Amino acid sequence: MKIDILTLFPEFFPSFFSHSIVKRAIQSGQVEIAVHNFRDYSLGKNKKVDDTPYGGGSGMVLMCQPIFDCVDALRTEDSIVILLTPDGKVYQEDFAYSLSREKHLILICGHYEGFDDRIRSICDLEVSIGDYILTGGEIPAMVIVDSVVRLIDGVIKEDSHINESFHHQLLDYPSYTKPAVFRGMEVPSVLLSGNHKKIDEYRREMMYNRTKERRPDLLK
Ligand code: ADE
């Protein structure tokens, strides 16, 4: 998969790419990520990227030209162009699964109250990572990259996904590691029993019970 990120703050990203699963996926060639400062595409004086809003109002609005030209330079017939914006479709795990099957994502980091509305016309999807306002689309872009990259075939072991939260719309079961007793709190004895059938049953039951208790909306 190839991912292109369009931003005015490219310096946010290198540290994110150099850790953990995203780093390994880049090193093994399973994903190629490039960050583009769309200011470089501006044809305006002093590489201008924003201007005052028509009709008045506070703040500056990102202009069409730099973003349109940057997308034109990157887009192919395989591309999905995604605008990060709080009024987009709310991002969830099944959305991440479907994006992980794509060949090329172009992520546009907008700014709230923020961009010329005509920019929406070049986007295939508009995505929000939740009902709150961030100062820009950079953190949402990282959320998408992180959640998608780990789902690309072969990036992590297939069975790691099977039991994790939101797979089959259930939350994950509780995990424990050594010691078996810590400050008087015991690991459930079934997990020490070596009986894998019983352990599977226990975990499935815990997934269901946790979901019912914490996220009953997922069971509907
Ligand atoms: N930009 C600002 N807030 C955002 C959000 N919640 N989701 C996506 N992009 C955003």
Side-chain angles (χ1 to χ4, degrees):
M1 174 187 284
K2 178 148 198 278
I3 304 177
D4 286 298
I5 301 171
L6 277 57
T7 172
L8 290 175
F9 304 102
E11 60 279 9
F12 278 10
F13 292 91
S15 141
F16 167 62
F17 298 149
S18 42
H19 293 92
S20 188
I21 289 168
V22 174
K23 174 186 172 183
R24 273 195 278 128
I26 294 171
Q27 283 176 339
S28 66
Q30 284 153 308
V31 65
E32 185 189 335
I33 308 179
V35 181
H36 309 269
N37 188 338
F38 57 82
R39 189 180 294 283
D40 297 338
Y41 288 78
S42 171
L43 301 174
K45 211 171 143 204
N46 301 322
K47 300 267 173 206
K48 187 178 170 70
V49 289
D50 53 11
D51 213 328
T52 51
Y54 278 123
S58 62
M60 298 290 274
V61 174
L62 289 174
M63 299 157 70
C64 291
Q65 179 273 316
I67 292 180
F68 271 59
D69 284 356
C70 188
V71 170
D72 283 349
L74 298 169
R75 183 176 223 156
T76 70
E77 58 185 19
D78 291 326
S79 310
I80 304 287
V81 180
I82 301 173
L83 181 67
L84 285 325
T85 170
D87 54 13
K89 180 173 178 216
V90 176
Y91 194 61
Q92 294 196 316
E93 188 70 5
D94 56 352
F95 207 158
Y97 267 101
S98 67
L99 293 182
S100 73
R101 303 289 171 254
E102 296 293 342
K103 292 192 177 120
H104 183 206
L105 305 180
I106 298 177
L107 306 178
I108 304 174
C109 304
H111 282 257
Y112 195 53
E113 62 143 356
F115 50 82
D116 189 309
D117 219 67
R118 291 168 290 188
I119 290 170
R120 296 183 198 270
S121 70
I122 54 164
C123 299
D124 301 300
L125 298 170
E126 297 178 20
V127 175
S128 160
I129 61 160
D131 291 341
Y132 40 81
I133 308 299
L134 299 165
T135 48
E138 286 71 20
I139 291 171
M142 290 184 209
V143 168
I144 291 188
V145 171
D146 193 283
S147 57
V148 165
V149 165
R150 60 194 298 290
L151 294 174
I152 296 172
D153 278 345
V155 168
I156 55 178
K157 274 200 255 122
E158 182 64 28
D159 61 355
S160 312
H161 301 312
I162 290 174
N163 292 318
E164 67 195 13
S165 290
F166 305 116
H167 199 87
H168 303 309
Q169 301 291 346
L170 291 176
L171 299 183
D172 198 1
Y173 55 76
S175 297
Y176 302 88
T177 187
K178 295 173 187 71
V181 182
F182 181 73
R183 297 194 178 176
M185 294 179 283
E186 292 177 15
V187 171
S189 58
V190 61
L191 298 177
L192 310 176
S193 69
N195 183 333
H196 288 285
K197 188 165 171 279
K198 282 238 156 66
I199 292 172
D200 284 349
E201 279 166 17
Y202 161 81
R203 285 179 167 164
R204 263 201 300 275
E205 191 183 323
M206 291 305 288
M207 287 168 82
Y208 180 77
N209 289 348
R210 281 213 156 167
T211 310
K212 195 170 163 202
E213 185 188 309
R214 298 176 180 209
R215 290 292 305 275
D217 55 301
L218 293 176
L219 295 173
K220 282 188 190 129

